[in-house]
Amino acid sequence: MSSPTGTVLLLGGTGKVGGRIAPLLKAANVPTLVASRSGNSPTGLPGVKFDWFDESTWEPVFASASSPPIGAVFLVAPLMSHPGAIMRKFIDLAVAKGAKRFVLLGASPITEGGPWMGDAQKYLRELGEQGKLSWSVLRPTWFQQNFTENAHGTFLKSESKLFSGTGNGKVPFVNAEDIAAVGFHALTSPQPPNTDYVILGPELLSYPDVAAIISAAVGRTIEYVELSEADLAARFAQWIDPEYAATLAAMDTDIKNGAENRTNDVVRTVTGKEPRSFRDFVEENKAAWI
């Protein structure tokens, strides 16, 4: 399979989603360049060093691609509260270097022009309307993998506790494999998507539901611990920028108020496969909490 736009550049190419798109591109024989801060590529695809906060790494990325040149870019925002300006600057560079398609990893709560990557989403649409590029935004809800690969996983294993500020709010937790499958389609489809995809899992679950499901799988009680938004923000701020921590904590309050209480058929429509269930994910990964 050849990409309709040339070599695909995966920013965050070793991350939760990019690291899962890479093998799909490799299997389809799509020319791919995996960008990361280390420059390493565990998939056997060519790797290149890229750091949002070191602009000297940007332009060499485009010189690293052999034939065909980079034509499609998978964008993952840097971990900062207001990345709009830096992302616009890189998008402009990529367009000047010949990139024609951009797929942005967004998030279901983040709408165009909103915080975090919302500005980049708005900018891509504007450039698309000017005929300068084609675009898509992946807007997944909260990842199933957050319970194995993030701080949640650490405390589930070490303390048998699940901390959140979501109350009984429901979330259609989605598997990163399904997000990657939609991303692969957006990067390689013959027709430009020029849309955003709200990517949701098949079942609505609260965090207390999650604690109960994991409890049953591992054979011990996982305690759900409800925190206030302020306490949750303070907890997150132990690991990440305080402003970003406050944004994440506010998203938990949004979940409590019903913001993620929805399902759709995007995964099935785009990929032809049913989204993976959370219970199947837990069964496949219960060793992470034992």
Side-chain angles (χ1 to χ4, degrees):
M1 177 179 181
S2 61
S3 167
T5 51
T7 292
V8 174
L9 172 65
L10 293 176
L11 301 189
T14 59
K16 274 195 185 72
V17 177
R20 289 172 167 88
I21 294 176
L24 299 178
L25 293 167
K26 183 179 181 182
N29 293 317
V30 175
T32 304
L33 193 59
V34 176
S36 66
R37 282 179 296 179
S38 70
N40 297 326
S41 174
T43 58
L45 292 166
V48 64
K49 181 177 175 60
F50 176 84
D51 188 336
W52 278 112
F53 303 109
D54 180 1
E55 293 187 24
S56 71
T57 66
W58 293 10
E59 193 154 345
V61 166
F62 295 91
S64 298
S66 56
S67 181
I70 292 168
V73 181
F74 179 67
L75 291 166
V76 179
L79 287 178
M80 57 190 298
S81 298
H82 304 288
I86 194 172
M87 294 190 76
R88 284 176 179 244
K89 189 172 184 179
F90 178 79
I91 291 167
D92 287 344
L93 173 65
V95 169
K97 293 293 184 179
K100 298 295 185 184
R101 182 175 299 190
F102 292 77
V103 177
L104 171 67
L105 180 60
S108 60
I110 308 298
T111 56
E112 182 179 304
W116 201 5
M117 71 290 287
D119 179 76
Q121 180 175 343
K122 178 175 182 287
Y123 192 52
L124 289 176
R125 181 185 57 77
E126 290 172 348
L127 293 179
E129 290 176 349
Q130 296 168 24
K132 295 181 178 179
L133 53 80
S134 63
W135 62 277
S136 179
V137 181
L138 312 183
R139 294 179 55 207
T141 188
W142 299 89
F143 293 24
Q144 293 172 4
Q145 279 78 4
N146 286 351
F147 297 103
T148 55
E149 299 177 16
N150 285 22
H152 280 316
T154 299
F155 291 105
L156 285 167
K157 183 173 182 177
S158 64
E159 299 184 22
S160 295
K161 292 180 179 180
L162 177 59
F163 297 90
S164 177
T166 55
N168 289 313
K170 303 280 188 178
V171 179
F173 294 102
V174 69
N175 196 288
E177 300 284 351
D178 294 322
I179 303 166
V182 177
F184 171 80
H185 168 83
L187 286 162
T188 62
S189 64
Q191 295 301 315
N194 293 334
T195 190
D196 64 336
Y197 296 106
V198 177
I199 308 172
L200 310 176
E203 182 180 12
L204 288 166
L205 298 168
S206 67
Y207 276 72
D209 291 335
V210 167
I213 292 168
I214 297 176
S215 294
V218 300
R220 72 176 190 277
T221 299
I222 301 295
E223 179 188 358
Y224 171 69
V225 181
E226 177 79 11
L227 298 178
S228 69
E229 183 175 320
D231 287 344
L232 189 64
R235 186 175 182 83
F236 288 154
Q238 297 176 64
W239 304 289
I240 57 177
D241 170 76
E243 189 175 358
Y244 179 45
T247 299
L248 289 179
M251 289 179 183
D252 268 29
T253 299
D254 290 340
I255 291 172
K256 180 187 289 187
N257 294 333
E260 294 296 315
N261 192 350
R262 55 185 172 171
T263 57
N264 63 23
D265 62 356
V266 165
V267 172
R268 181 174 67 251
T269 299
V270 174
T271 71
K273 297 180 180 179
E274 294 295 328
R276 294 160 176 80
S277 76
F278 185 75
R279 285 174 172 80
D280 286 348
F281 169 78
V282 169
E283 282 301 314
E284 292 167 4
N285 292 276
K286 60 185 178 184
W289 307 299
I290 293 174

